[in-house]
Amino acid sequence: MPIENLVHEHVFLGAGHRRNERRVWLVIALTATMMVGEIAAGNIYGSMALVADGWHMSTHAGAMLITALAYLYARRQARNPRFTFGTGKLGDLAGFASAIVLALIALLIGWESLLRFANPVQISFSQAIAVAVAGLAVNLISAFLLKDHHQHLGHSHAGHSHGGHAHAGHAHGGHSHAAHAHGAKAQPAGGHEHHDHSGHSHEHHSHGDHSHHGHAAAKSGTDNNLRSAYLHVMADALTSVLAILALLAGSIYGWLWLDPAMGVVGALIIAHWSYGLIRQTGLILIDATDTVSDLQSEIRERIETPQETITDLHVWQVGPGHNAAIVAIATQNPHPPAFYKEKLAKLTGLSHLTVEVTPVAA
C-alpha cells in the first residue's frame, strides 16, 4: 500500500464551525454598538439596572471576542501537527474562560446592586425604559443568531450514565496487536504489533444507528464555544427584561428599591448559568468520563463476549461531535484489529479509534 494512503489528518472541528464563527463576529458588532448606548443612557437617566445591563454587555462583548478568536485560531491551526489530536477542544477552553468571565459579571452586578440599595438615586423612567427595550431587541436578535439545537441553559449533561461494565484492568502484554481504525484492513493476528492507518475514522459517523449511544453523541456534539457566547447574550437579555420590569414598577408605584433588587436576581441566575458551563467545559478539558459514559458502555456492549474482554478502555472528547477511543482486548480467539473496528464502525461520534488485541490462554 502506498505510504501516502496511510497518512491521515486529525481535524476534529464542529460541523458548523465556520458558520458559528461568522455569527459570533456579527453578534460582537451588534453588542458593541448597543453597549455604548446603554452605558451612556444608564448614567444619564440614573438607572442601576440599565447601567448594569450596559456594563456587563461590554464584558460580554469581550468574552465573545474570546469565542471568535478561538474559532479563528482553531480553524487556521486545525492541521498543525503540533496539536496531537487537533484543535477541536480549543472551543471548550474558550468556553471555560468565558464562563469565568460570566461568573465575574454576576459578582459585579450583584455587588453594584447591593450598593444601590444603600444609595438610591432618582431615575428618568421613560428614557431608561426606551433604551432597555432597544437593548433587549439587540439581545434577542443576537440570541437567535447564536441559537443551536444543543443549547441547554444552566444544565450540564455530564453525569447522565446509562450504565456500563466495570473496568477490567490492564493487559498490555508482549504479544499484542494494535491498529488505528482508519478504514483499511489490518494485518492478520500474529506475534507483532500492527498499525492500520488507511483512510480516517471520520467516516465512522452514522446517523442511522439509533441505539442509546445517541444521547452521548448529542452531549459530545455540543459546541461549548458557541454555547458560551449564547449564554452571554442570554444574560444580557435577562438583565434587560429585569431592568424593564423594575423600571415599569418604579414608574407606576415609585418602588425604587425594585431596580437594584432585580439586579441581585439577575446576578444569581447568571451565576447559575456560569456554573453549568464551567462544569461542562471543565470535565471535557480534563478528559473526564462523565461526558462519554454512554459511548463507553456501547463500546463494551459491542465488543465483549464470554471469550473477549476489554481490559483497558479510554474514551475522551477531542472536539464537538468527535470522540477518540483506545480499546485493549484480551481474547481466547484473537481476530485482526480490523474485525473489532468494524463492530464499532457505526458508532456516531467515534472519530479516532485505536484497537489492541492480546491473545490469552483458554
Side-chain angles (χ1 to χ4, degrees), residues 194-276:
H194 303 284
H195 297 277
D196 172 16
H197 297 283
S198 178
H200 200 281
S201 62
H202 282 299
E203 298 177 1
H204 289 181
H205 296 282
S206 172
H207 299 285
D209 196 326
H210 297 291
S211 56
H212 73 266
H213 74 272
H215 182 58
K219 290 189 292 185
S220 66
T222 301
D223 186 337
N224 284 313
N225 200 24
L226 184 68
R227 183 183 173 211
S228 68
Y230 180 75
L231 286 180
H232 278 282
V233 298
M234 287 304 295
D236 280 333
L238 172 67
T239 53
S240 292
V241 169
L242 294 178
I244 293 170
L245 293 175
L247 291 168
L248 285 173
S251 65
I252 297 172
Y253 303 108
W255 295 347
L256 297 182
W257 58 268
L258 191 58
D259 189 71
M262 287 298 190
V264 172
V265 172
L268 292 174
I269 296 175
I270 294 168
H272 175 66
W273 291 349
S274 172
Y275 170 76

Side-chain angles (χ1 to χ4, degrees), residues 72-283:
L72 180 64
Y73 187 83
R75 175 168 54 83
R76 290 185 174 180
Q77 300 296 320
R79 291 175 172 81
N80 188 337
R82 177 186 178 189
F83 301 100
T84 303
F85 283 98
T87 56
K89 288 172 71 171
L90 189 62
D92 297 294
L93 179 60
F96 184 85
S98 293
I100 297 296
V101 174
L102 198 64
L104 294 175
I105 289 168
L107 288 174
L108 177 62
I109 294 174
W111 176 250
E112 291 295 329
S113 297
L114 291 175
L115 291 179
R116 186 54 62 93
F117 271 118
N119 301 285
V121 298
Q122 289 300 121
I123 301 173
S124 300
F125 292 106
S126 58
Q127 297 92 332
I129 290 173
V131 178
V133 170
L136 177 60
V138 171
N139 297 150
L140 294 178
I141 293 172
S142 299
F144 175 77
L145 290 172
L146 297 175
K147 179 64 178 174
D148 181 82
H149 70 281
H150 288 131
Q151 306 289 0
H152 297 277
L153 287 179
H155 175 68
S156 171
H157 287 290
H160 294 279
S161 173
H162 295 286
H165 302 272
H167 206 285
H170 298 271
H172 298 288
H175 298 288
S176 64
H177 309 281
H180 293 292
H182 298 295
K185 294 180 179 179
Q187 298 294 330
H192 303 283
E193 184 176 357
H194 303 284
H195 297 277
D196 172 16
H197 297 283
S198 178
H200 200 281
S201 62
H202 282 299
E203 298 177 1
H204 289 181
H205 296 282
S206 172
H207 299 285
D209 196 326
H210 297 291
S211 56
H212 73 266
H213 74 272
H215 182 58
K219 290 189 292 185
S220 66
T222 301
D223 186 337
N224 284 313
N225 200 24
L226 184 68
R227 183 183 173 211
S228 68
Y230 180 75
L231 286 180
H232 278 282
V233 298
M234 287 304 295
D236 280 333
L238 172 67
T239 53
S240 292
V241 169
L242 294 178
I244 293 170
L245 293 175
L247 291 168
L248 285 173
S251 65
I252 297 172
Y253 303 108
W255 295 347
L256 297 182
W257 58 268
L258 191 58
D259 189 71
M262 287 298 190
V264 172
V265 172
L268 292 174
I269 296 175
I270 294 168
H272 175 66
W273 291 349
S274 172
Y275 170 76
L277 184 57
I278 288 173
R279 184 171 185 270
Q280 179 68 14
T281 54
L283 289 172

Side-chain angles (χ1 to χ4, degrees), residues 304-321:
E304 292 193 318
T305 67
Q307 292 77 36
E308 295 170 321
T309 301
I310 293 179
T311 57
D312 196 17
L313 176 61
H314 300 278
V315 183
W316 69 100
Q317 186 172 331
V318 292

